[in-house]
Amino acid sequence: MAIPPNQTNSITAIKDFFDRHKGLQRPNRFSMSFNGLPAVLSGLVPANDFQPIGVMIGARAIDSVADNLAGYGLGRSVPRSQKFPQGIMLTFAVTNDHFITDFYDTWFNLIYSGGRQRGTYKTPFQLSYYDDIIAPTQMKINILDPNGNINRIYTFFEIYPIECLPIELSMMKTNDYMTYQVLMMFRDFTFRPGT
């Protein structure tokens, strides 16, 4: 935070800074929804019937190549593409009906399922999965202010689950609840102000 040169780093200056910028964003103020899910998935979970207890939006990075111009080192690094190497990690509380694990298990099986899930070892891979299952799917994460109004909207395009983390069961945790974590991958995203 930059303090103007004619001010000191006082409590008043810091308070004024946050007042001008509408306060601090709280990380527990968010909501999530999907659009364009395959019909099989839409029928499993009613709209907005599930909400993650945690969302970790992964890194965004720029890939570059060296232009190899004469001089010291490799020369300039010229940007050539962007990548999202860590995806989005969603954490859900698991209820006794296991609807969230059923939902994601079905989604994984739509993309790729082994022979035992499909009943045959001859055609375990669905070749049309991308256009049918991934291309139309979007995920929106709304970042909310303390009053529940939307501050910013992340929209992730062509999103799909790529990995679920190990599920821990333990006799040592008598008062805890089970969680399910799934890593989502996507092709592109937008980040814009709320409406």
Side-chain angles (χ1 to χ4, degrees):
M1 174 179 69
I3 302 295
N6 60 346
Q7 294 183 11
T8 60
N9 192 3
S10 67
I11 294 298
T12 304
I14 293 170
K15 182 181 179 303
D16 288 345
F17 173 82
F18 289 118
D19 284 346
R20 283 194 313 273
H21 295 284
K22 302 179 182 178
L24 291 168
Q25 177 65 54
R26 297 179 183 173
N28 66 341
R29 305 291 294 163
F30 66 91
S31 66
M32 188 201 77
S33 62
F34 286 108
N35 294 323
L37 283 171
V40 172
L41 297 174
S42 300
L44 284 178
V45 179
N48 300 322
D49 192 32
F50 64 98
Q51 196 61 35
I53 58 173
V55 174
M56 185 177 294
I57 300 172
R60 176 184 183 185
I62 302 292
D63 264 341
S64 60
V65 293
D67 63 10
N68 293 322
L69 292 176
Y72 296 107
L74 296 174
R76 297 175 300 180
S77 291
V78 180
R80 58 178 287 273
S81 66
Q82 69 175 334
K83 62 183 178 180
F84 309 102
Q86 297 167 340
I88 302 165
M89 183 66 68
L90 303 175
T91 303
F92 295 93
V94 178
T95 54
N96 278 317
D97 60 1
H98 283 263
F99 79 93
I100 201 67
T101 53
D102 290 344
F103 173 81
Y104 279 101
D105 192 49
T106 302
W107 199 346
F108 276 110
N109 287 339
L110 282 174
I111 297 169
Y112 183 95
S113 57
R116 284 186 174 84
Q117 287 132 351
R118 290 176 57 91
T120 176
Y121 286 98
K122 295 180 180 177
T123 57
F125 188 66
Q126 299 180 14
L127 294 176
S128 62
Y129 80 98
Y130 200 92
D131 289 342
D132 297 341
I133 297 167
I134 295 174
T137 307
Q138 301 174 13
M139 182 176 77
K140 287 189 178 182
I141 297 175
N142 297 323
I143 310 295
L144 309 174
D145 69 13
N147 297 318
N149 300 313
I150 299 173
N151 272 341
R152 293 289 182 273
I153 302 170
Y154 279 100
T155 304
F156 300 93
F157 299 91
E158 299 182 32
I159 192 160
Y160 61 99
I162 194 169
E163 179 181 358
C164 86
L165 269 59
I167 297 171
E168 181 182 1
L169 304 174
S170 172
M171 297 266 188
M172 303 298 290
K173 299 182 177 182
T174 55
N175 295 319
D176 286 354
Y177 55 87
M178 184 173 159
T179 60
Y180 181 83
Q181 292 182 291
V182 60
L183 179 63
M184 307 293 289
M185 201 51 68
F186 58 98
R187 183 170 184 176
D188 204 355
F189 79 104
T190 59
F191 180 61
R192 61 182 177 80
T195 55

